[in-house]
Amino acid sequence: MLGNKHKTLGEFIIENQSSFQYSSGELSRLINAIRLAAKVVNHEVNKAGLIDILGAAGDTNIQGEDQQKLDVLANDIFIQTLKNREIVCGIASEEEDDFISINSNDEKHQNKYVVLIDPLDGSSNIDVNVSVGTIFSIYRRVTPAGTPVQLEDFLQPGNKQVAAGYIVYGTSTMLVYTTGDGVNGFTLNPALGTFYLSHPDMRFPENGKIYSVNEGNYVHFLQGVKDYIKYCQEEKEDRPYTSRYIGSLVSDFHRNMIKGGIYMYPKSSVSESGKLRLLYECNPMAFIAEQANGKAIGGRTRILDIVPTELHQRVPFFVGSKNMVDKLQEFLDKYK
Ligand code: AHM
Ligand code: MG
């Protein structure tokens, strides 16, 4: 069992604080707040199976409070935790139409970070007891501290991220994050409520043998993607590869990072930009991937170089082991 011989996330954050550029402890406090919110959300996710007993969304629970859907609840937990601690000047969430400003028009509040978050990704998996996740991304604001946050503070390309991470609520709960100096994974010991460093310096193997894509959409994919899928299935050299698709980006990504693989959500003839959101899903995962020796593209472009134009923008997304992404790129390039 993960216990006291392992480093805790709290210890790790303190030890690494001095390595951040412009370190003032603000980013450490922010990651600490996310750690706390993650534990609360984990508790809620774990009891999701009891919903019939505890009451479904729309019902009133024993305390007379209205039950919320889990993705709405996760959203509230993260936003409240960050608001209460007054450590960010703004939050944008996949669950909210617009960004939220936090006391940013008060010059006493000199907080410089904004957080973008997908509070509960893959939430359709909740009903069937399959892993879901939280994805977060942190930027330094570009407008002056002490003035109201603006849309431009959120619409920054992914290469400006200061930190990014995810929490996977799986067979065990893990928090994985980067501050631009490699990727580290922490596993929650639920008995103690403590995250321990279980996966130091995580790295995608350069080659992989797993491809993850919703093949039900095959007929709608562009020819380059179809050809690559056929390549994965061909009986040659180390192929055919294995197909694994959970339908929870965080879980599919997490498995591929550990075992070697590629995750794809391409655009198709029915959804011109694919499905995934650049700011809440693709950028943070791309930052983690690159920090872990992997690669992330949105077709011909590096994900992290895309300049966002709107908060809820969608982009095609391909991420994983470097050589697999490069191979896919070759197929895409044939149909330029
Ligand atoms: P969500 O933000 O509505 O949960 O959608 C994102 C999820 C990803 O986690 C997952 O990889 C993908 O949608 C699955 O989509 P599909 O069911 O179209 O394959
Ligand atoms: Mg999502």
Side-chain angles (χ1 to χ4, degrees):
M1 184 161 86
L2 285 168
N4 48 17
K5 76 180 167 56
H6 290 85
K7 191 175 291 179
T8 68
L9 174 55
E11 289 162 357
F12 184 89
I13 293 171
I14 293 166
E15 269 176 36
N16 286 275
Q17 183 175 314
S18 56
S19 65
F20 304 142
Q21 225 183 338
Y22 329 102
S23 171
S24 63
E26 199 177 326
L27 185 60
S28 300
R29 287 198 296 280
L30 176 46
I31 293 170
N32 255 321
I34 291 173
R35 170 185 71 152
L36 177 69
K39 283 197 260 185
V40 180
V41 171
N42 177 63
H43 180 70
E44 297 297 334
V45 168
N46 277 175
K47 61 180 198 202
L50 291 168
I51 209 96
D52 286 342
I53 302 169
L54 301 175
D59 287 359
T60 306
N61 67 14
I62 305 162
Q63 287 83 31
E65 298 156 336
D66 287 338
Q67 293 285 320
Q68 288 179 298
K69 275 187 71 190
L70 216 45
D71 39 10
V72 180
L73 185 58
N75 187 49
D76 289 353
I77 291 168
F78 276 101
I79 290 176
Q80 272 319 321
T81 308
L82 295 171
K83 262 190 176 171
N84 291 346
R85 297 189 152 204
E86 294 191 350
I87 38 182
V88 291
C89 51
I91 305 173
S93 163
E94 198 187 283
E95 292 284 332
E96 306 278 337
D97 292 338
D98 212 345
F99 65 83
I100 300 166
S101 159
I102 300 172
N103 293 329
S104 62
N105 51 349
D106 180 343
E107 51 182 57
K108 282 205 301 290
H109 291 268
Q110 290 291 313
N111 297 334
K112 56 181 177 292
Y113 293 112
V114 294
V115 173
L116 292 92
I117 190 157
D118 183 353
L120 208 63
D121 184 64
S123 51
S124 63
N125 275 329
I126 288 273
D127 293 345
V128 289
N129 205 358
V130 171
S131 302
V132 288
T134 295
I135 309 172
F136 62 91
S137 169
I138 301 171
Y139 294 81
R140 195 169 292 113
R141 64 182 298 179
V142 289
T143 55
T147 65
V149 275
Q150 308 288 337
L151 188 57
E152 63 193 279
D153 292 316
F154 299 91
L155 296 187
Q156 300 188 53
N159 57 36
K160 296 276 191 244
Q161 284 172 105
V162 174
Y166 62 78
I167 298 118
V168 52
Y169 310 98
T171 39
S172 30
T173 292
M174 276 191 74
L175 190 154
V176 173
Y177 81 104
T178 181
T179 52
D181 184 22
V183 178
N184 291 286
F186 300 81
T187 303
L188 181 67
N189 179 332
L192 303 177
T194 308
F195 282 102
Y196 289 97
L197 178 60
S198 53
H199 295 64
D201 195 18
M202 297 181 82
R203 292 174 88 77
F204 274 92
E206 295 238 310
N207 294 302
K209 294 189 67 171
I210 299 171
Y211 70 101
S212 315
V213 62
N214 185 342
E215 270 177 276
N217 294 330
Y218 184 86
V219 287
H220 301 300
F221 292 156
L222 303 181
Q223 197 54 45
V225 177
K226 285 184 177 170
D227 289 359
Y228 178 70
I229 293 175
K230 284 291 161 227
Y231 166 87
C232 293
Q233 296 169 342
E234 208 176 9
E235 193 167 19
K236 221 175 188 179
E237 294 148 3
D238 62 342
R239 288 165 284 141
Y241 296 157
T242 295
S243 163
R244 286 282 182 277
Y245 189 70
I246 296 172
S248 261
L249 168 63
V250 168
S251 315
D252 279 308
F253 178 100
H254 186 72
R255 180 203 52 242
N256 291 349
M257 178 158 65
I258 291 173
K259 298 199 162 182
I262 184 170
Y263 171 96
M264 304 182 269
Y265 211 107
K267 67 175 175 185
S268 68
S269 50
V270 285
S271 62
E272 202 21 58
S273 308
K275 175 184 183 188
L276 301 184
R277 318 281 182 143
L278 174 61
L279 297 183
Y280 314 108
E281 292 161 334
C282 307
N283 270 337
M285 297 315 251
F287 186 29
I288 298 165
E290 289 197 5
Q291 283 295 317
N293 198 37
K295 197 164 176 177
I297 58 172
R300 232 155 284 149
T301 36
R302 177 182 176 224
I303 285 288
L304 296 182
D305 288 339
I306 299 174
V307 179
T309 51
E310 46 183 306
L311 277 180
H312 295 281
Q313 186 173 346
R314 297 172 198 268
V315 290
F317 190 47
F318 307 93
V319 64
S321 291
K322 215 160 164 292
N323 293 345
M324 295 184 90
V325 176
D326 285 343
K327 191 74 197 171
L328 163 78
Q329 179 102 61
E330 273 176 39
F331 282 99
L332 297 179
D333 285 350
K334 280 191 191 153
Y335 299 93
K336 264 187 200 165

